Amino acid sequence: MSKAKSTFCVTFCDKDWHLIERCIEFILLQSVKPDRVMFVGSGLLEKTHTAYDLCLKLGKRFKEYGILTSPTRKLPGWARNNGAFFNQGPEEIVSFCDVDDDIHPKKCEFVKKVFVNPDVDALVHNYSRPEIPTFPSWEKVDDSDVIKIEPVISVEPEPEPIPDGWFNVPRTNVMTKNKQPVAHGPISIRGSLAQHFRYKENMSLGEDGTFCREIVNHPDFSLYYTPKKLIIYN
């Protein structure tokens, strides 16, 4: 297992900040606790102090924590960039957490096992849906030192936007050999990536896929995938 420090970065906004405590409960259930939790939220306006006080109370349950809030609404790339830059070293590991997702209780342990491999600069994984039963019936994470991973071969945009109400924007498609589902929002990265790549802060959706594409297209960095389902998308 990697000895590098690990950070879980919890991102939220004015619409879902009330879910912070629920997210932290999932993190506290981790078989291997992250060394640090980073809270990054925006669009809070009059709720800024309330949200900050909640993060302060919850952060004290971890070895280290950081809090960054903005009263004005920012797009997701802003939260991810600020969360990544709070890392203190190139080998440290940041795992992004959307506040409304369920997190597998062995995600931190699993990620730290994968990042023993020096070839892995970033890791994305499979996911489950809310209608599927949660953790007790999930596929168990392999306890061995060898975890199945494969390199992402390309990240291409889908040819047409997906019409779904407001969600009518071009999306990215992470391609793996087995063409399994990929959650690229809750990516885990080495701190060194934050020195070379930044999320686009002018995109309301798709900034995570664009970030993945830039990693894959760079000759000096690699993005890997595991078929393990480490979150439930809500």
Side-chain angles (χ1 to χ4, degrees):
M1 187 180 299
S2 173
K3 295 181 180 179
K5 274 192 172 183
S6 60
T7 297
F8 270 31
C9 180
V10 179
T11 60
F12 57 94
C13 66
D14 53 310
K15 293 182 178 179
D16 55 18
W17 72 274
H18 60 285
L19 298 173
I20 298 171
E21 191 161 9
R22 177 181 178 276
C23 180
I24 290 300
E25 291 303 322
F26 281 111
I27 298 176
L28 287 168
L29 288 173
Q30 294 294 303
S31 57
V32 174
K33 303 292 188 298
D35 299 286
R36 183 189 302 114
V37 170
M38 183 67 201
F39 301 92
V40 186
S42 72
L44 300 167
L45 297 176
E46 70 277 2
K47 303 182 185 72
T48 298
H49 293 297
T50 304
Y52 183 91
D53 290 344
L54 177 59
C55 293
L56 187 65
K57 180 185 78 171
L58 297 172
K60 291 178 179 179
R61 302 172 75 177
F62 297 90
K63 293 179 182 178
E64 299 178 25
Y65 65 93
I67 306 169
L68 176 64
T69 60
S70 169
T72 57
R73 184 72 179 271
K74 306 288 186 180
L75 296 177
W78 174 86
R80 295 177 182 277
N81 285 331
N82 280 282
F85 273 101
F86 267 85
N87 236 17
Q88 296 180 358
E91 292 303 314
E92 293 191 21
I93 305 163
V94 178
S95 295
F96 291 103
C97 307
D98 289 337
V99 73
D100 57 341
D101 290 338
D102 298 7
I103 306 169
H104 195 288
K106 285 192 174 182
K107 177 170 181 175
C108 187
E109 175 184 345
F110 174 65
V111 167
K112 294 194 78 168
K113 285 181 177 179
V114 170
F115 275 82
V116 169
N117 184 338
D119 294 332
V120 178
D121 297 304
L123 179 72
V124 290
H125 54 73
N126 203 335
Y127 61 90
S128 188
R129 289 289 185 184
E131 62 271 14
I132 299 175
T134 53
F135 302 136
S137 59
W138 273 24
E139 175 187 14
K140 290 184 178 179
V141 175
D142 190 344
D143 287 330
S144 69
D145 291 332
V146 180
I147 308 294
K148 183 180 179 181
I149 58 174
E150 60 181 88
V152 173
I153 56 178
S154 68
V155 183
E156 303 296 340
E158 294 183 355
E160 297 293 335
I162 299 176
D164 184 19
W166 61 274
F167 193 62
N168 189 24
V169 295
R171 298 189 65 198
T172 49
N173 187 20
V174 176
M175 295 297 296
T176 61
K177 291 180 180 178
N178 297 323
K179 298 183 178 180
Q180 297 187 59
V182 178
H184 38 52
I187 191 174
S188 297
I189 65 172
R190 291 192 195 275
S192 56
L193 283 186
Q195 302 170 13
H196 295 273
F197 303 98
R198 287 184 65 82
Y199 284 89
K200 295 188 181 302
E201 298 188 11
N202 61 346
M203 298 178 68
S204 58
L205 289 167
E207 83 294 335
D208 45 7
T210 300
F211 184 78
C212 288
R213 184 189 297 118
E214 291 180 356
I215 298 171
V216 171
N217 290 342
H218 197 288
D220 298 330
F221 294 93
S222 59
L223 173 65
Y224 276 75
Y225 167 78
T226 175
K228 297 293 188 185
K229 299 175 181 178
L230 297 182
I231 65 161
I232 295 177
Y233 263 136
N234 290 315

